Amino acid sequence: MEIAHCTPFSLSNPNSKLFHPQTLRCCFNLPQNLSQITPFSNGLMNNSRVDRCFSVNVKETSAQIETAMIEQPPKSLRFEVSQGSPAPFGATLCDGGVNFAIFSAHSVSATLCLITLSDLQQNRVTEQIPLDPLTNKTGDIWHVFLKGNFDDMLYAYKFEGPMSPQDGHYYDSSRLLLDPYAKVSVISRGEYGVLGPQGNCWPQMFCMIPSPNDEFDWQGDLPLQYPQRDLIIYEMHVRAFTRHESSRAKYPGTYLGVTEKLDHLEELGINCIELMPCHEFNELECYSYNPVMGDHKVNFWGYSTVSFFSPMIRYSSSGIRDCGRDAINEFKLLVREAHKRGIEVIMDVVFNHTAEGNEKGPILSFRGIDNSIFYMLAPKGEFYNYSGCGNTFNCNHPVVRQFIVDCLRYWVTEMHVDGFRFDLASILTRSSSLWDAVNVYGNAIEGDLLTTGTPLSSPPLLDMISNDPILCKVKLIAEAWDCGGLYQVGTFPHWGIWSEWNGKYRDIVRLFIKGTDGFAGAFAECLCGSPNLYQGGGRRPWHGINFICAHDGFTLADLVMYNEKHNLANGEDNRDGENHNNSWNCGEEGEFASASVKRLRKRQMRNFFVCLMVSQGVPMIYMGDEYGHTKGGNNNTYCHDNYSYLPCSECESLGLNDFPTSERLQWHGHTPAKPDWSETSRFVAFTLRDLVKGEIYIAFNTSHLPFVVTLPDRPGYRWEPLVDTSKPAPFDFLTDNLPEREIAAKQYQHFLDANLYPMLSYSSSILLLKPYEESA
């Protein structure tokens, strides 16, 4: 999720703007003029537009489906029932049976419901096992142990308790609820985008019971554990990556489809893929007819989690076959095969909110189990909405933060992922509902008057993650902002191991490359790894994830093709999406343009890539930008299951472990050692030295005027061109194996003999320092 240029949120200011246009997704059709929204203080939002996410064109609600389930009398003919254990949470194989354990502090009774696959087809609960609060409850944990035949068996829970939203409780004994710790698969619909029975968008979901036959051959797979400074990250969407017919994938739009294309990523030099959300979500939650496109909107991006321990089952080729087991193995296969090719796998995780939305959303799991614990609530039960999606996960509550840590550990140990990117991570720093210093730290803090949602300098959740013996060894990346205006780029609590999406890098680089005055100095900071953001906090360049484009906003091709967003296809009159993209169409709007404009656009895309790859820090490339994928100027394709389909290092100093100093780096202008940091400067050049591969000269001219620069004089050496974005491909990158390389290299030899180099308008160049005899 993206948010830029936020107005800081103030708890004392009831008129604070809580949303930013870039965060509008999941069919939240908010007005372009945010003053039309009536905000509440403390992050509360009373807006009927948000409610639409859970009410449009749903022919039958989950409540109706649950009521339609034919319930058998409470009995157990198939299973031997005993007390069970309160640990671990979830359904766990042990001692020849299965132990079930679930937390619910405010319920008065609990029932475990078991459903066979055959009974599922008949909308029938196979067996109900009521839990005795005297023998099947320890503290706030309900538990039971069963022995019997669990082949193809599913389960869910029912809880009784108060239905009093004003007190934060939503108990309804007619609801069949998912176990938050369901560690295998969630079974409902098996095919992506296909409605459930009677056209239902929310058919009843059940948890799969683990089987002793649930095995996967990891073939000795071990974590790659690359130093983060060596990563080149590729952000991708599992379905979009191979769904287009031109991918020629055998299993398009699936985990297996991505696996088929891993060789392509390896050839690109990618050593880390960042998967957009792969936790179970319901792509039909916003299902509504879009008259502009003549199709239906879906939640394509997936930032709306239903079950945090379960992989998205409809991203598999097998769907619900074999009760979802094959789907899990397909995800594991993707990770295993990526590791074989030297590619790490990072998951984009959404712990800031869930798919249950606000008070009008569905009751699927957390809300019916213990709403007042899992969500951040105001004193009268209203939902805080720092996520922009109707609810906010109560991340720093002791129970919730333990849940998050358990979930992350599961994906590392069981699914072998290498790290996580946390969506709207600033929410993870906010104090929980009913914040109590004694409850968190064991003793009262004098003067502690923290209210719900107050940002914490040492959030308990981040403390737990950062000091966990497993999680402290994986990649931890924060999207360091949220929809309540909390913007923490450069200040996110980090314990020396958290890195951040550097949103400021994106904005500054876009402005400078398109030729905006006043950004030469800020651009130089970006090239050095943003020491102004990270050095003071004791971090390194690789704690910043540099990116030009991501899933939110324009693709790289659209960044140089459009001045304005073109989101009419979303059916929201172009009101959604970011209005301030810092883009430039190079003189003509849209895909169809003159040959000269198209040449300039290609040059600009190459300039952005050069900048990304020579900047200190970790580069992240968005899927498809390597060849100029366009979405037609749509910068908010959250709802389209088509727009996003993809048609089918020379210097050690470019990856420093610390910020460059004057011993390695020297700035230049049109003449050596005389940089121009004035407001009108559109030229930045520098040299980097290392003891292994010598020296490299890098220059960016973002002016509309060409000129000739004087290169630094190095007696006994001469400069040799490597990259020049003003030249047509393939001569823009003079690799050693390039045919006719020698001819291309000598094209400007008369300039180089005079220690000069011509810089065309809107171009960037990289030159290598070579001894005379080597370059002769």
Side-chain angles (χ1 to χ4, degrees):
M1 187 185 289
E2 177 58 60
I3 184 169
H5 309 298
C6 300
T7 301
F9 176 71
S10 170
L11 290 171
S12 61
N13 180 8
N15 295 315
S16 297
K17 295 293 195 306
L18 303 180
F19 283 11
H20 185 276
Q22 188 72 354
T23 66
L24 308 181
R25 64 180 185 205
C26 299
C27 83
F28 296 157
N29 185 11
L30 300 182
Q32 186 169 358
N33 181 1
L34 293 185
S35 63
Q36 298 176 32
I37 299 176
T38 303
F40 281 58
S41 62
N42 297 354
L44 299 175
M45 177 66 71
N46 181 12
N47 192 322
S48 60
R49 295 178 183 269
V50 178
D51 305 338
R52 295 177 56 203
C53 186
F54 305 105
S55 59
V56 287
N57 281 11
V58 178
K59 296 182 179 179
E60 194 171 32
T61 66
S62 58
Q64 290 171 314
I65 285 293
E66 289 160 349
T67 303
M69 295 292 290
I70 303 172
E71 299 180 353
Q72 301 299 317
K75 61 182 180 179
S76 181
L77 301 179
R78 304 185 183 192
F79 301 98
E80 177 184 334
V81 181
S82 58
Q83 180 177 354
S85 170
F89 286 126
T92 307
L93 293 171
C94 59
D95 300 329
V98 179
N99 188 80
F100 297 84
I102 187 169
F103 166 87
S104 179
H106 296 97
S107 60
V108 297
S109 70
T111 301
L112 176 64
C113 300
L114 302 175
I115 306 95
T116 62
L117 284 180
S118 58
D119 280 346
L120 176 63
Q121 303 303 318
Q122 303 299 321
N123 285 333
R124 181 167 55 214
V125 174
T126 306
E127 297 201 29
Q128 297 185 73
I129 302 174
L131 306 187
D132 186 338
L134 296 179
T135 60
N136 298 114
K137 188 178 184 184
T138 302
D140 292 330
I141 302 174
W142 297 87
H143 48 80
V144 66
F145 181 76
L146 303 182
K147 284 189 175 182
N149 181 6
F150 292 98
D151 290 347
D152 292 336
M153 185 71 73
L154 310 172
Y155 76 101
Y157 285 98
K158 294 195 302 184
F159 289 95
E160 289 188 8
M163 172 57 84
S164 52
Q166 68 277 9
D167 298 316
H169 301 308
Y170 285 80
Y171 288 104
D172 183 344
S173 60
S174 69
R175 307 277 183 167
L176 291 167
L177 305 172
L178 294 174
D179 180 358
Y181 276 83
K183 296 185 179 70
V184 191
S185 287
V186 169
I187 304 299
S188 59
R189 298 177 296 104
E191 187 175 350
Y192 189 96
V194 176
L195 296 169
Q198 294 82 49
N200 183 21
C201 294
W202 285 101
Q204 178 63 53
M205 292 175 282
F206 295 98
C207 311
M208 175 186 160
I209 296 176
S211 165
N213 300 321
D214 297 340
E215 296 182 357
F216 178 78
D217 184 5
W218 281 104
Q219 299 179 356
D221 178 67
L222 292 172
L224 297 174
Q225 294 186 326
Y226 290 141
Q228 184 152 310
R229 66 177 181 271
D230 295 337
L231 294 185
I232 299 178
I233 300 175
Y234 188 87
E235 187 195 22
M236 64 181 299
H237 186 285
V238 168
R239 181 170 171 83
F241 190 60
T242 62
R243 190 68 183 97
H244 195 275
E245 60 183 9
S246 65
S247 74
R248 299 179 181 177
K250 183 177 180 181
Y251 301 101
T254 66
Y255 302 123
L256 292 183
V258 176
T259 305
E260 293 178 57
K261 300 298 181 180
L262 288 173
D263 290 340
H264 163 69
L265 298 177
E266 185 181 13
E267 291 171 2
L268 286 178
I270 302 299
N271 60 10
C272 179
I273 55 177
E274 182 179 300
L275 303 178
M276 289 175 65
C278 291
H279 288 154
E280 182 70 26
F281 68 93
N282 180 10
E283 74 278 10
L284 300 181
E285 69 171 350
C286 305
Y287 192 76
S288 60
Y289 182 69
N290 183 353
V292 178
M293 299 295 291
D295 59 8
H296 289 79
K297 294 183 182 181
V298 296
N299 177 8
F300 187 72
W301 286 350
Y303 289 91
S304 193
T305 305
V306 169
S307 181
F308 288 92
F309 282 82
S310 306
M312 174 60 169
I313 202 167
R314 289 173 300 285
Y315 281 173
S316 70
S317 66
S318 54
I320 60 175
R321 188 178 67 229
D322 193 23
C323 216
R325 293 182 180 90
D326 290 348
I328 297 169
N329 288 338
E330 287 186 25
F331 183 92
K332 291 180 177 179
L333 179 67
L334 166 58
V335 176
R336 187 189 75 190
E337 295 305 304
H339 286 174
K340 285 183 180 179
R341 291 162 177 78
I343 300 174
E344 292 191 334
V345 180
I346 290 176
M347 293 184 67
D348 192 341
V349 292
V350 190
F351 288 108
N352 59 79
H353 75 285
T354 77
E356 292 183 308
N358 61 17
E359 69 279 359
K360 295 186 179 180
I363 300 177
L364 308 171
S365 178
F366 302 99
R367 177 164 297 154
I369 293 170
D370 211 320
N371 182 78
S372 65
I373 296 294
F374 287 105
Y375 295 114
M376 196 180 290
L377 304 178
K380 294 185 179 181
E382 305 100 321
F383 290 89
Y384 283 82
N385 193 18
Y386 294 113
S387 68
C389 294
N391 66 53
T392 304
F393 215 41
N394 204 18
C395 297
N396 280 297
H397 186 283
V399 170
V400 183
R401 66 176 184 262
Q402 186 63 59
F403 167 80
I404 294 174
V405 169
D406 290 344
C407 179
L408 296 174
R409 292 186 67 156
Y410 174 81
W411 284 93
V412 172
T413 58
E414 180 64 26
M415 309 297 268
H416 288 207
V417 302
D418 302 282
F420 306 93
R421 178 265 187 188
F422 294 80
D423 181 64
L424 295 185
S426 288
I427 285 177
L428 309 185
T429 74
R430 292 185 180 272
S431 62
S432 62
S433 296
L434 305 177
W435 175 266
D436 182 355
V438 175
N439 192 26
V440 176
Y441 294 109
N443 60 290
I445 300 176
E446 184 176 354
D448 180 29
L449 299 176
L450 292 176
T451 58
T452 300
T454 301
L456 305 171
S457 59
S458 297
L461 171 60
L462 299 189
D463 191 344
M464 289 179 66
I465 294 174
S466 304
N467 292 289
D468 183 88
I470 292 175
L471 300 179
C472 72
K473 302 299 183 183
V474 304
K475 276 71 178 181
L476 301 172
I477 303 171
E479 184 185 40
W481 51 80
D482 67 21
C483 297
L486 182 55
Y487 191 79
Q488 298 175 305
V489 173
T491 61
F492 190 83
H494 55 80
W495 280 266
I497 60 175
W498 285 77
S499 54
E500 302 170 3
W501 266 25
N502 192 345
K504 293 184 178 180
Y505 175 98
R506 171 203 57 207
D507 298 339
I508 291 169
V509 168
R510 287 185 179 190
L511 287 166
F512 182 77
I513 293 295
K514 77 170 186 173
T516 306
D517 285 340
F519 286 93
F523 180 72
E525 291 273 8
C526 292
L527 293 171
C528 291
S530 302
N532 56 318
L533 295 177
Y534 302 118
Q535 192 169 29
R539 286 190 279 181
R540 305 292 180 85
W542 45 267
H543 283 113
I545 307 300
N546 299 329
F547 65 102
I548 310 296
C549 300
H551 67 274
D552 270 322
F554 282 146
T555 66
L556 187 62
D558 290 346
L559 188 66
V560 300
M561 199 182 299
Y562 296 94
N563 281 352
E564 309 292 338
K565 66 183 182 183
H566 294 268
N567 296 1
L568 287 174
N570 297 356
E572 301 175 24
D573 297 325
N574 211 39
R575 294 191 303 269
D576 64 305
E578 174 60 71
N579 292 317
H580 307 287
N581 296 283
N582 297 322
S583 61
W584 179 43
N585 63 17
C586 297
E588 298 178 37
E589 187 80 354
E591 184 173 359
F592 301 101
S594 62
S596 61
V597 167
K598 288 184 177 180
R599 286 195 295 269
L600 177 55
R601 288 173 176 175
K602 290 181 180 179
R603 198 152 74 235
Q604 285 290 75
M605 285 193 285
R606 290 194 287 265
N607 290 335
F608 280 120
F609 260 113
V610 169
C611 174
L612 189 63
M613 300 311 294
V614 303
S615 298
Q616 302 296 331
V618 178
M620 186 185 79
I621 301 167
Y622 176 56
M623 176 183 72
D625 280 349
E626 69 270 23
Y627 70 83
H629 176 51
T630 177
K631 297 180 183 178
N634 193 323
N635 70 358
N636 191 32
T637 57
Y638 71 93
C639 61
H640 293 288
D641 183 28
N642 49 22
Y643 256 118
S644 301
Y645 295 166
L646 288 185
C648 273
S649 153
E650 293 287 341
C651 180
E652 180 186 287
S653 291
L654 294 179
L656 296 178
N657 192 46
D658 212 335
F659 298 100
T661 65
S662 58
E663 295 178 354
R664 284 182 180 262
L665 182 146
Q666 184 179 22
W667 298 105
H668 307 287
H670 291 188
T671 57
K674 293 183 179 180
D676 180 4
W677 305 122
S678 68
E679 284 294 306
T680 57
S681 174
R682 297 187 182 182
F683 181 76
V684 171
F686 62 101
T687 50
L688 275 172
R689 291 190 295 266
D690 66 58
L691 299 177
V692 177
K693 296 182 179 178
E695 191 170 3
I696 187 170
Y697 176 90
I698 303 171
F700 296 87
N701 175 25
T702 63
S703 170
H704 63 286
L705 299 174
F707 49 78
V708 176
V709 298
T710 302
L711 301 173
D713 186 22
R714 301 290 185 258
Y717 294 82
R718 66 189 303 165
W719 293 102
E720 183 174 294
L722 175 67
V723 172
D724 189 335
T725 63
S726 68
K727 295 180 180 180
F731 301 110
D732 53 346
F733 186 16
L734 300 182
T735 58
D736 291 337
N737 58 355
L738 179 68
E740 302 180 358
R741 179 186 182 280
E742 294 302 320
I743 297 176
K746 292 180 179 179
Q747 184 178 11
Y748 291 142
Q749 195 63 53
H750 56 298
F751 282 101
L752 296 172
D753 288 343
N755 219 34
L756 303 173
Y757 194 79
M759 295 288 300
L760 267 64
S761 60
Y762 301 107
S763 68
S764 52
S765 299
I766 301 177
L767 292 88
L768 300 178
L769 192 66
K770 298 289 184 69
Y772 268 112
E773 60 273 13
E774 181 179 334
S775 58

